[in-house]
Amino acid sequence: MSADSEPTPELLTIAEVAKLFRTSKSSVRRLQQQRSIPFLKIGGAVRFATSDLVEYMQRVRVESIGK
């Protein structure tokens, strides 16, 4: 990799995202099918960029209403 090229994003599988989110694989598939989280299709396989997942988690975060 040369100095001016962008780093390759880390890609995760549905199972890895489910483990990260501590949810089921079917929940991750549902989010993907509803287009709630961005994904890539590579040779028929679904992959998720970690940067997209971080953005998704920030977007859906519910802030507390405490003082």
Side-chain angles (χ1 to χ4, degrees), residues 3 5-6 23 28 32 39 43-45 48-50 56 59 65:
S5 64
E6 293 184 28
T23 190
V28 175
Q32 175 241 325
F39 63 94
F48 303 88
T50 54
Y56 169 75
R59 190 171 68 243
I65 56 173

Side-chain angles (χ1 to χ4, degrees), residues 14-63:
I14 288 175
E16 291 168 328
V17 174
K19 188 174 182 179
L20 175 70
F21 284 179
R22 296 189 174 143
T23 190
S24 66
K25 291 186 280 186
S26 61
S27 292
V28 175
R29 282 192 193 96
R30 191 174 316 108
L31 290 170
Q32 175 241 325
Q33 290 168 349
Q34 294 171 344
R35 303 292 201 265
S36 296
I37 51 178
F39 63 94
L40 301 118
K41 292 245 353 206
I42 302 170
V46 175
R47 296 292 183 263
F48 303 88
T50 54
S51 58
D52 289 337
L53 298 174
V54 169
E55 287 176 24
Y56 169 75
M57 288 187 285
Q58 290 171 343
R59 190 171 68 243
V60 298
R61 181 182 172 133
V62 178
E63 295 293 333

